[in-house]
Amino acid sequence: MARHLVTSAIPYINGIKHLGNLVGSQLPADLFARYQRARGNEVMFICATDEHGTPAELAAQKAGKPVADYCAEMHEVQARIAEGFRLSFDHFGRSSSPQNRHLTQAFAKRLHEMGLIREVSEKQMYSNADGRFLPDRYIEGTCPNCGYDSARGDQCDNCTKQLDPVDLINPRSVISGSTDLEMRETKHLFLCQSKMKDKLEAWIDSKSDWPVLTTSIAKKWLNDGDGLQDRGITRDLNWGVPAQFEGAPWGGMEGKVFYVWFDAPIEYIAGTQEWADANGGDWERWWRTDKGADDVTYTQFMGKDNVPFHTIGFPATILGSDEPWKLVDYIKSFNYLNYDGGQFSTSRGRGVFMDQALEILPSDYWRWWLLSHAPESADAEFTWENFQVSVNKDLADVLGNFVSRITKFTRSKFGEAIPEGGDWGEAGEALIAELTTRIRDYEKFMEAKEVRKAAAELRAIWVAGNEYLQSSAPWTVFKTDPVQAGAIARLALNLVPLYAVLSAPFIPDAAKSMLEGMHATDQGWPDDVAAAVRALPEGHAFTTPEVLFGKISDEQREDWQSRFAGIRT
Ligand SMILES: [Zn+2]
């Protein structure tokens, strides 16, 4: 039994994520975790909410709530939606957990011991009225480029120009509106990534099997411009992991916290500790190579915007510690999913958000479309037309129709039991041979995390069943040879539980209904297809299932199209 550690990039806490976020990390990670479990392997699948930093503080302020309360509430909301999408996390943690605070501080201290932390004095905007330093996003003013009057300290949302707070005309504090601001000296901790460059590059070069998307982004960060830069890992904020703590090897860091990009990936480890603390498990055998994690295969899933932090930032922490932590083995990254001729936008509420998606259709419809159109080699686009076609053809016409056709035919001619006697003959054996080849290919694509190819192969496996029914035509054979027709039906009916097991990583709810309809249990992965298609014995009773997948009508499509075209309110 192999052991797989799987992590999804952790979604930020401030609000509900859209379908583009879902398909870029959590959903393909779930597919892989479910597949590995189905193969009988041991899986630890960790995700969490990323709760620290300025945007959480601002969102809480806007909601009129203390930031800790806001995060606790939003974590519950995100956990509920994840459940709605059947994301099978072993643990959905929180980066604000005590475990993460402790571990983040321990890593920082260790990196200091290794000579990889230096203290740097910088000038930063200070608000006298608020009595605090203001991060870039806490400062607004008039854009020097376009004149927009609510440009942020880091960027103008109107003309997208990157800004420095000192560029703004009439800068003011977002917290109080005060214009009594001044530049003041402040001290920060920097991680000496430049000292780690050779080590990081050698490690990345050793990963010849990684997707080009992953390695090209990593290489760019290592070598572009002046090369890899040291990175500030603290911020002047209250909400986060305190940078001044008992036993800290530095002083004068009161009122500062670790930067969210330092503590967020550490939550993968801390989330596993949270799981262990809640369930009495052993987290070290997943993360410490000196405590049994040597045989673990660790795969990370993320959107391309997160690649620098996972190929450079987090590995710099792990490698820099020189302690026996488990490093990632494979980074699967995704391009962006666009929405109907533009981009999904959280700030402008454009596109379909996870909660809205579940209000209009069951999760399997979304899972199937998103995974079968995953933005792997290039950006992909969600359009309602494409969604309608894909759901109606793949799910309703191919899989749904197959199940409905064979169960209804059998019920009408033989009753609701697996027909007895006869031999399904050469055509049946040819089908078994084709399925065997296709299932081995499906496994290959799943192992390689080739999501689209796996979906296409699964669809071909469903199509093979339909074609078998079509060419064997048991309804015609029945007129002259009912026993032979029964044998054909027996083989086809046995494909239903087989398809359920193969399809469960993509569409877990439908897979469950298929097994229930056949009064079957999960017989495990079909290593031997010839045996799997004989699992339901002659005479075994079944229940003709309800329609597995409804079709999306043109009226529904048009309704949703107009409903989601505007701004989310
Ligand atoms: Zn501007």
Side-chain angles (χ1 to χ4, degrees):
M1 187 165 70
R3 299 174 63 219
H4 283 273
L5 175 62
V6 181
T7 61
S8 157
I10 68 177
Y12 200 69
I13 192 72
N14 67 340
I16 291 161
K17 304 300 136 186
H18 54 64
L19 296 181
N21 299 130
L22 178 63
V23 73
S25 52
Q26 290 177 326
L27 191 52
D30 180 68
L31 178 78
F32 187 65
R34 283 178 178 273
Y35 170 73
Q36 291 300 343
R37 288 191 201 108
R39 296 307 307 273
N41 294 325
E42 191 183 357
V43 172
M44 177 59 63
F45 179 20
I46 297 290
C47 192
T49 38
D50 178 5
E51 304 192 358
H52 290 140
T54 313
E57 264 197 321
L58 284 179
Q61 194 197 340
K62 206 172 154 193
K65 289 176 180 163
V67 63
D69 294 357
Y70 172 82
C71 288
E73 281 172 32
M74 286 310 299
H75 175 80
E76 282 312 307
V77 169
Q78 292 205 21
R80 216 166 38 240
I81 295 172
E83 223 172 274
F85 273 95
R86 308 291 182 252
L87 301 174
S88 60
F89 307 133
D90 288 288
H91 185 71
F92 187 56
R94 303 183 58 189
S95 71
S96 63
S97 69
Q99 289 90 340
N100 196 38
R101 185 178 63 231
H102 178 80
L103 200 54
T104 298
Q105 291 171 342
F107 268 116
K109 190 177 169 190
R110 174 71 185 169
L111 290 166
H112 185 272
E113 286 164 15
M114 299 303 291
L116 292 170
I117 299 276
R118 62 187 173 91
E119 299 178 19
V120 175
S121 278
E122 292 181 322
K123 289 215 156 139
Q124 206 187 332
M125 203 75 92
Y126 184 86
S127 165
N128 288 307
D130 300 310
R132 61 180 285 176
F133 285 97
L134 298 177
D136 297 354
R137 289 184 186 218
Y138 274 39
I139 307 161
E140 277 185 3
T142 302
C143 174
N145 188 46
C146 72
Y148 179 58
D149 68 0
S150 297
R152 286 199 319 251
D154 56 346
Q155 191 179 27
C156 172
D157 273 343
N158 190 49
C159 69
T160 74
K161 192 178 163 61
Q162 303 276 316
L163 299 170
D164 214 274
V166 291
D167 300 336
L168 293 171
I169 302 159
N170 300 323
R172 61 182 182 273
S173 158
V174 168
I175 301 168
S176 60
S178 169
T179 54
D180 183 12
L181 309 179
E182 62 179 45
M183 293 304 275
R184 268 201 200 174
E185 190 109 331
T186 180
K187 190 173 78 170
H188 283 292
L189 302 179
F190 272 61
L191 177 60
C192 302
Q193 293 188 144
S194 57
K195 286 189 190 170
M196 299 284 302
K197 192 207 169 226
D198 293 344
K199 215 169 178 177
L200 286 166
E201 191 154 34
W203 174 67
I204 289 161
D205 284 340
S206 74
K207 303 295 179 186
S208 54
D209 62 330
W210 283 11
V212 176
L213 182 64
T214 303
T215 45
S216 63
I217 295 171
K219 287 286 195 176
K220 197 168 141 58
W221 275 66
L222 280 171
N223 298 311
D224 268 18
D226 298 328
L228 189 60
Q229 301 297 303
D230 293 349
R231 192 175 178 93
I233 58 164
T234 53
R235 288 291 183 271
D236 290 289
L237 275 182
N238 295 314
W239 177 239
V241 175
Q244 194 63 58
F245 52 92
E246 209 187 311
W250 45 70
M253 294 297 292
E254 290 80 10
K256 295 167 205 285
V257 298
F258 286 103
Y259 186 31
V260 64
W261 267 111
F262 185 69
D263 82 72
I266 295 171
E267 169 62 14
Y268 295 142
I269 308 174
T272 317
Q273 288 185 347
E274 292 167 37
W275 164 85
D277 290 346
N279 299 284
D282 175 2
W283 67 271
E284 288 184 314
R285 64 190 280 272
W286 292 100
W287 283 103
R288 294 285 300 209
T289 54
D290 58 336
K291 307 255 172 81
D294 252 339
D295 64 345
V296 168
T297 302
Y298 177 20
T299 311
Q300 295 176 339
F301 290 82
M302 70 199 64
K304 60 184 169 188
D305 51 330
N306 278 332
V307 169
F309 306 103
H310 289 81
T311 53
I312 308 288
F314 189 38
T317 299
I318 298 282
L319 287 168
S321 77
D322 204 30
E323 292 171 334
W325 295 102
K326 175 72 194 163
L327 267 168
V328 66
D329 294 298
Y330 192 90
I331 297 182
K332 174 73 179 181
S333 56
F334 290 86
N335 287 286
Y336 294 137
L337 180 69
N338 293 318
Y339 177 77
D340 225 358
Q343 288 180 338
F344 277 94
S345 167
T346 303
S347 57
R348 285 179 297 127
R350 187 172 190 281
V352 186
F353 288 74
M354 286 170 73
D355 56 337
Q356 299 171 321
L358 291 178
E359 281 164 20
I360 61 176
L361 283 171
S363 63
D364 278 353
Y365 291 64
W366 299 106
R367 289 178 63 105
W368 174 253
W369 189 89
L370 290 166
L371 291 167
S372 61
H373 295 77
E376 288 178 301
S377 55
D379 289 354
E381 187 177 20
F382 177 91
T383 68
W384 288 99
E385 288 81 4
N386 187 310
F387 180 62
Q388 179 191 24
V389 167
S390 178
V391 163
N392 290 359
K393 283 200 167 161
D394 299 350
L395 296 181
D397 288 346
V398 179
L399 179 61
N401 186 47
F402 171 77
V403 173
S404 156
R405 228 168 149 195
I406 189 55
T407 50
K408 282 183 179 155
F409 166 74
T410 308
R411 181 176 62 183
S412 71
K413 303 298 183 198
F414 302 94
E416 287 182 307
I418 306 293
E420 297 174 18
D423 185 344
W424 53 57
E426 264 177 44
E429 292 308 319
L431 173 66
I432 292 167
E434 181 189 350
L435 288 175
T436 302
T437 306
R438 289 199 177 281
I439 290 168
R440 298 294 93 88
D441 283 345
Y442 178 57
E443 292 164 359
K444 203 177 67 196
F445 294 136
M446 287 293 242
E447 290 294 343
K449 281 89 48 186
E450 296 261 20
V451 178
R452 273 191 187 221
K453 286 181 183 165
E457 198 58 53
L458 179 60
R459 188 182 184 282
I461 289 167
W462 299 339
V463 167
N466 261 328
E467 284 175 351
Y468 172 70
L469 268 193
Q470 198 58 34
S471 60
S472 302
W475 37 86
T476 308
V477 174
F478 185 80
K479 291 171 193 159
T480 53
D481 188 349
V483 175
Q484 168 70 9
I488 295 168
R490 186 165 69 247
L491 175 54
L493 287 165
N494 265 287
L495 295 186
V496 179
L498 172 72
Y499 284 0
V501 171
L502 294 172
S503 309
F506 281 90
I507 45 173
D509 287 350
K512 195 161 163 263
S513 315
M514 287 160 71
L515 284 178
E516 282 170 2
M518 300 312 293
H519 301 180
T521 50
D522 185 339
Q523 295 289 312
W525 196 257
D527 294 322
D528 179 350
V529 178
V533 297
R534 289 173 172 87
L536 298 181
E538 299 182 2
H540 175 91
F542 68 87
T543 307
T544 303
E546 300 290 316
V547 172
L548 263 189
F549 295 100
K551 285 199 182 189
I552 296 172
S553 69
D554 290 347
E555 293 70 40
Q556 283 177 311
R557 188 202 72 215
E558 282 159 20
D559 173 37
W560 295 333
Q561 213 154 12
S562 61
R563 200 165 130 197
F564 296 104
I567 299 299
R568 176 183 168 100
T569 50

